[in-house]
Amino acid sequence: MSEKIDLGREIRLARENAGYSISDIENITRIPSFVIRDIEKNEFKSCGGTTYARGNIRTISKILNLNADE
């Protein structure tokens, strides 16, 4: 049985532990801060669709050294 992951929480905690602000991630990735905030709240509509949401999550995960495939 696989454990359910709270994606937004994992991203937020990794960002905070790495010492990055949302603004820092926005500047590095060019993903708008409102999209990053929404992802951290597990709200993905502002991403513009599933493909964009996955791309944004992968990009943020790469910066934070998270395994995006999980």
Side-chain angles (χ1 to χ4, degrees), residues 1-13:
M1 182 172 148
S2 66
E3 187 176 320
K4 185 176 177 184
I5 296 174
D6 183 340
L7 179 64
R9 181 177 182 272
E10 292 295 321
I11 290 173
R12 181 181 54 80
L13 290 174

Side-chain angles (χ1 to χ4, degrees), residues 10-24:
E10 292 295 321
I11 290 173
R12 181 181 54 80
L13 290 174
R15 176 182 58 76
E16 290 172 349
N17 288 336
Y20 288 116
S21 68
I22 289 177
S23 181
D24 293 333

Side-chain angles (χ1 to χ4, degrees), residues 13-64:
L13 290 174
R15 176 182 58 76
E16 290 172 349
N17 288 336
Y20 288 116
S21 68
I22 289 177
S23 181
D24 293 333
I25 299 298
E26 177 183 34
N27 291 331
I28 294 166
T29 65
R30 301 293 181 223
I31 298 170
S33 59
F34 71 90
V35 172
I36 298 167
R37 279 190 203 89
D38 285 351
I39 289 171
E40 290 186 357
K41 292 186 273 183
N42 292 311
E43 296 173 8
F44 306 103
K45 288 183 182 180
S46 66
C47 291
T50 303
T51 302
Y52 291 111
R54 287 182 183 177
N56 289 336
I57 291 165
R58 286 189 182 281
T59 300
I60 294 167
S61 295
K62 186 183 243 184
I63 299 301
L64 299 174

